[in-house]
Amino acid sequence: AVALAISAWAGGLGGGLVGVPPWALALSTGLFSYLTLWAGEHLGRRTVGHLLGERASLAAGLLLILIGIKDLL
């Protein structure tokens, strides 16, 4: 949660420094988040889910843990 808050703060600061209006920053962030989540879900169902079968949940959990460790380092 702290990393997400810092990321949002940095995005807002960067947008403010270059003069992006807050509504445009919020809209673009929301839209990009939606599109990447949709693409990941679509890719997961179409390819990885079929390859891993019942182990897909385990693989997703391990991937999230690895991303968290990478963010801490």
Side-chain angles (χ1 to χ4, degrees), residues 28-46:
S28 64
T29 301
L31 181 62
F32 186 72
S33 294
Y34 174 78
L35 290 175
T36 54
L37 286 170
W38 176 84
E41 192 267 338
H42 184 71
L43 179 66
R45 284 186 189 264
R46 291 268 175 161

Side-chain angles (χ1 to χ4, degrees), residues 13-68:
L13 180 66
L17 289 174
V18 296
V20 177
W23 65 267
L25 187 61
L27 182 65
S28 64
T29 301
L31 181 62
F32 186 72
S33 294
Y34 174 78
L35 290 175
T36 54
L37 286 170
W38 176 84
E41 192 267 338
H42 184 71
L43 179 66
R45 284 186 189 264
R46 291 268 175 161
T47 58
V48 180
H50 292 291
L51 294 174
L52 295 177
E54 293 184 13
R55 295 187 183 135
S57 294
L58 177 63
L62 290 174
L63 183 60
L64 286 174
I65 291 170
L66 290 174
I67 290 171

